[in-house]
Amino acid sequence: MPLAIAQLGQPVLRAAAKPVQAEEIATAEFRQLLSDMKETMLASSGVGLAAPQVFVSRRIFLARIVPADPEKPDAPPSIDVFINPRIVAATQEVESAWEGCLSFPELLVLVPRRKGIRIEYLDPQGRSLTAELHGYPARVVQHEYDHLDGVLTIDRAASTRDIIKASEIKAVLGERGPAKVDPAPE
Ligand code: NI
């Protein structure tokens, strides 16, 4: 069942989410939440979704970190689940790109992010994993991770001039020159 997405102004988007207990992960209720989150993310064509965005203040997010295979356009997208994630290392190098967010899809924000990160997390089987991510997947994961701490893209804008209506992106790129644009909201 697709869930309602919390929109900017909802207090849950500004709260620090609570960790998931190991014994919760195997429960039917938890599996249902993950399944509903996946459905919600796919229904809204997002590339990521954090639990606080569906009014669940827990440290869980989904992210599409494996790009779609152009050879298999009908294959279901691979969606990774990150439970109790911790970013344990990041490159010094920072890159800016325009990002959308499912909690305020009307806006795009130019957000500087670390180019590469290392993240530790639990998967839906409760296994402890580590991932090294670079470029776009690293950006998506940093965006979702921020949601767990109540941080939004608008907080990370270097200037309020870096917050625009999504509908006006072409005019902005024409004026300010090319910058990367995320293809999908998070
Ligand atoms: Ni978002």
Side-chain angles (χ1 to χ4, degrees):
M1 180 185 67
L3 305 167
I5 298 181
Q7 296 296 295
L8 182 60
Q10 288 288 343
V12 68
L13 291 176
R14 291 314 203 163
K18 291 195 169 57
V20 174
Q21 303 303 314
E23 57 272 20
E24 281 178 79
I25 295 178
T27 64
E29 198 184 355
F30 192 81
R31 276 201 298 270
Q32 186 62 48
L33 171 64
L34 294 184
S35 159
D36 287 345
M37 283 180 68
K38 271 185 193 172
E39 212 177 317
T40 307
M41 184 176 137
L42 290 173
S44 45
S45 304
V47 291
L49 182 72
Q53 290 184 282
V54 293
F55 295 89
V56 176
S57 193
R58 307 302 298 277
R59 302 192 79 79
I60 309 159
F61 65 76
L62 311 183
R64 221 187 279 181
I65 59 171
V66 180
D69 183 349
E71 309 260 301
K72 296 175 193 155
D74 298 329
S78 133
I79 297 173
D80 282 273
V81 177
F82 296 78
I83 300 165
N84 294 346
R86 283 191 321 129
I87 293 178
V88 294
T91 58
Q92 285 297 313
E93 219 177 336
V94 168
E95 188 172 51
S96 291
W98 293 95
E99 294 181 12
C101 181
L102 293 172
S103 293
F104 41 98
E106 299 85 356
L107 301 180
L108 286 175
V109 181
L110 188 63
V111 184
R113 302 266 187 210
R114 302 301 185 100
K115 264 186 145 177
I117 56 163
R118 185 185 306 133
I119 187 165
E120 296 177 352
Y121 60 102
L122 302 178
D123 75 0
Q125 283 74 46
R127 293 176 296 206
S128 185
L129 299 178
T130 302
E132 304 254 1
L133 302 171
H134 292 273
Y136 183 60
R139 172 171 298 278
V140 173
V141 161
Q142 287 172 85
H143 177 120
E144 300 314 328
Y145 190 90
D146 269 354
H147 273 302
L148 306 186
D149 292 328
V151 174
L152 302 172
T153 55
I154 47 178
D155 306 326
R156 294 210 178 267
S159 152
T160 48
R161 292 173 185 227
D162 292 345
I163 303 173
I164 64 161
K165 285 280 292 286
S167 55
E168 311 310 307
I169 184 67
K170 279 196 180 134
V172 173
L173 294 181
E175 168 104 340
R176 297 170 53 162
K180 293 193 173 177
V181 183
D182 266 12
E186 299 156 32

